[in-house]
């Protein structure tokens, strides 16, 4: 047989063998794919995350929750009147003020007492009050012009008020006690010399402290150093004690409070 014919035949046998091997390899790949496929085509499983610290697993609201207030009524060295002490003791014992600072306005003695949320008194000062005695406001008085308000309508209302800070028509910082009635607590104004407001605050008696249209006038220094630093954050509670009605008419729970429950600062009662 010629050499070229033998060579051609050998090449055919080689190509046939290659085709057969390719077919066998393809069949093997199909059979092994379910087993090997996940190994070659899926990304490796990520390593397990290390365990988080216990603090990281606590909800943020729990971690940042404020601690309860340690309430304790403390008048310091001030001996407050009985009705003031009763309202303060009740407010602290029942946490009536929540987490807000509070003030007690004693209209009969024209005095204000300012407290931290815990019940510690921060200061007290004389104040000027509405010209007319009385514990209620006239309906719609907040919409009246000052010139239209009659002398007998110039009262400072009694009751429990949730105050808010703001500005009045003169763009001054004020603490709105009763916004609808236009009653606020603010710095004393000496714009009318005939009213002698500064002199009235300086006298030792409360008999001449009735001059305002209903607002609670506070000495400038006391407002800026005691009232405003506590109240400027937003809301506060203001208790205005009645003067024409009994305490129980506005604060029945406080009126029944025993003064022994008012835990004021420790005192030494030993004799000399």
């Amino acid at each position: 047989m010629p050499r070229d014919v033998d060579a051609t035949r050998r090449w055919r046998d080689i190509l046939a063998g290659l085709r057969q091997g390719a077919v066998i390899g393809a069949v093997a790949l199909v059979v092994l794919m379910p087993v090997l496929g996940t190994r070659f085509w899926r990304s490796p499983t990520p390593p397990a995350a290390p365990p988080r610290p216990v603090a990281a697993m606590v909800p943020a609201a729990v971690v940042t929750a404020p601690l309860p207030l340690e309430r304790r009524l403390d008048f310091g060295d001030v001996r407050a009147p009985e009705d003031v002490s009763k309202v303060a003791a009740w407010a602290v014992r029942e946490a009536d003020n929540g987490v807000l600072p509070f003030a007690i306005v004693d209209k009969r003695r024209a005095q204000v007492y300012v407290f931290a949320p815990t019940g510690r008194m921060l200061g007290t000062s004389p104040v000027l009050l509405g010209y007319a005695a009385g514990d209620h406001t006239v309906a719609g008085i907040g919409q009246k012009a000052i010139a239209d308000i009659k002398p007998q309508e110039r009262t400072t209302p009694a009751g429990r008020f949730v105050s808010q800070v703001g500005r009045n028509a003169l763009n001054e910082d004020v603490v709105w006690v009763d916004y609808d009635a236009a009653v606020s607590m603010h710095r004393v104004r000496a714009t009318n010399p005939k009213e002698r407001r500064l002199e009235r605050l300086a006298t030792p008696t409360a008999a001449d402290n009735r001059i305002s249209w209903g607002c609670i006038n506070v000495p400038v220094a006391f407002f800026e150093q005691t009232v405003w630093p506590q109240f400027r954050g937003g809301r506060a509670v203001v208790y205005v004690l009645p003067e024409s009605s009994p305490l129980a008419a506005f604060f029945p729970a406080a009126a029944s409070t025993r003064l022994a429950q008012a835990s004021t600062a420790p005192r030494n009662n030993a004799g000399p």
Side-chain angles (χ1 to χ4, degrees):
M1 186 177 294
R3 291 183 178 179
D4 55 349
V5 174
D6 291 340
T8 301
R9 184 177 294 175
R10 283 196 298 271
W11 279 110
R12 286 178 180 175
D13 293 340
I14 293 173
L15 292 174
L18 292 174
R19 292 194 190 97
Q20 185 177 3
V23 172
I24 295 174
V27 172
L29 183 61
V30 171
V31 173
L32 296 175
M33 180 63 71
V35 179
L36 301 177
T38 57
R39 178 179 299 178
F40 290 112
W41 299 107
R42 186 189 304 171
S43 59
T45 303
R52 292 182 298 168
V54 175
M57 294 186 286
V58 179
V62 176
V63 175
T64 59
L67 296 175
L69 293 178
E70 294 184 6
R71 302 177 188 274
R72 181 174 181 271
L73 179 60
D74 184 1
F75 275 98
D77 295 331
V78 175
R79 299 190 66 88
E82 180 178 338
D83 47 0
V84 174
S85 297
K86 284 187 172 185
V87 171
W90 161 76
V92 172
R93 185 183 70 246
E94 300 298 328
D96 182 76
N97 61 304
V99 296
L100 303 177
F102 65 96
I104 298 177
V105 178
D106 180 4
K107 291 200 295 177
R108 291 175 179 171
R109 303 166 189 87
Q111 194 83 7
V112 64
Y113 301 80
V114 178
F115 297 83
T118 57
R120 180 173 63 90
M121 194 187 74
L122 302 174
T124 182
S125 171
V127 293
L128 300 179
L129 300 166
Y131 173 80
D135 298 322
H136 302 278
T137 54
V138 176
I141 196 170
Q143 285 71 46
K144 283 188 175 184
I146 289 182
D148 297 332
I149 298 177
K150 300 175 182 179
Q152 65 271 22
E153 296 177 335
R154 293 163 56 179
T155 59
T156 300
R160 177 190 185 276
F161 303 92
V162 178
S163 68
Q164 59 183 6
V165 297
R167 291 182 175 274
N168 59 12
L170 300 176
N171 201 33
E172 298 172 332
D173 294 324
V174 300
V175 176
W176 288 110
V177 177
D178 187 346
Y179 184 82
D180 293 337
V183 175
S184 67
M185 185 185 304
H186 58 72
R187 302 172 182 83
V188 63
R189 300 192 201 98
T191 55
N192 187 350
K194 295 181 179 180
E195 292 180 339
R196 300 182 301 106
R197 295 199 178 197
L198 297 180
E199 291 86 342
R200 291 171 184 271
L201 280 172
T203 60
T205 176
D208 58 352
N209 287 39
R210 313 305 295 262
I211 189 64
S212 79
W213 265 257
C215 290
I216 303 164
N217 286 215
V218 181
V220 174
F222 187 79
F223 185 90
E224 294 179 349
Q225 297 171 12
T226 304
V227 175
W228 192 245
Q230 289 295 311
F231 286 31
R232 66 183 176 187
R235 298 186 302 163
V237 180
V238 179
Y239 304 97
V240 182
L241 307 190
E243 58 182 339
S244 301
S245 305
L247 185 64
F250 288 87
F251 303 99
S256 60
T257 296
R258 298 177 57 186
L259 287 182
Q261 297 174 354
S263 56
T264 56
R267 298 178 185 278
N268 187 352
N269 296 323

